[in-house]
Amino acid sequence: MYSYYDVDQTAIFAVLSGFFMTIAIIGTIIGVLTIIAMWKIFTKAGKPGWASLIPIYNVVVLFQVVNLSPWLILLFIVPIVNIFAVFVLSIMLNLRLAKAFDKGTGFALGLIFLNTIFILILGLGDSKYVGITE
């Protein structure tokens, strides 16, 4: 026979399982959409689209697309420095990505704060890659 506490724990477990499963499904959908958009961005930039599928290498290719040195990625493995490097390089990367597709500062802010949506706009929209000249 079940006691009151057994039923209560089962209900809590069921609710938490459903919540985490929903989060996992949403995360998977966002991840797949981002990979598709990055594939298109790489293709527009003249890079191999399949590079969006390979972790770490996709960041190297993205740095090449925005004309940043891929060696900067090594800052991510240096303790303490990596905390600041993630924020600084992320902002630099998104600003330069907007510039590489001839978009303005507002679009760059969209890339920083709503990344997946604006990556989809770049990849699946009619944006043209113009590159960055320095």
Side-chain angles (χ1 to χ4, degrees):
M1 186 91 186
Y2 289 110
S3 70
Y4 173 75
Y5 296 106
D6 290 336
V7 174
D8 192 40
Q9 289 175 355
T10 305
I12 290 171
F13 179 74
V15 169
L16 287 176
S17 296
F19 174 74
F20 288 122
M21 188 59 116
T22 303
I23 296 295
I25 290 170
I26 291 170
T28 302
I29 291 169
I30 289 172
V32 168
L33 288 173
T34 302
I35 289 171
I36 291 168
M38 290 303 292
W39 186 301
K40 298 294 281 181
I41 287 172
F42 288 171
T43 304
K44 288 179 179 183
K47 302 289 183 186
W50 55 263
S52 65
L53 300 173
I54 302 171
I56 301 172
Y57 181 61
N58 61 5
V59 179
V60 170
V61 173
L62 189 58
F63 272 54
Q64 291 171 347
V65 166
V66 299
N67 202 18
L68 280 174
S69 173
W71 290 103
L72 290 171
I73 295 169
L74 293 177
L75 293 174
F76 293 150
I77 61 173
V78 179
I80 307 299
V81 173
N82 60 3
I83 296 169
F84 301 105
V86 166
F87 292 111
V88 172
L89 289 177
S90 173
I91 291 169
M92 285 176 52
L93 183 77
N94 286 312
L95 288 171
R96 293 172 71 94
L97 186 61
K99 185 177 178 185
F101 281 88
D102 202 25
K103 301 289 184 185
T105 306
F107 197 88
L109 289 172
L111 280 169
I112 292 168
F113 294 110
L114 299 169
N115 190 268
T116 301
I117 295 169
F118 282 81
I119 289 288
L120 283 166
I121 293 169
L122 277 184
L124 303 178
D126 60 354
S127 302
K128 302 277 190 249
Y129 178 75
V130 295
I132 294 180
T133 56
E134 293 184 293

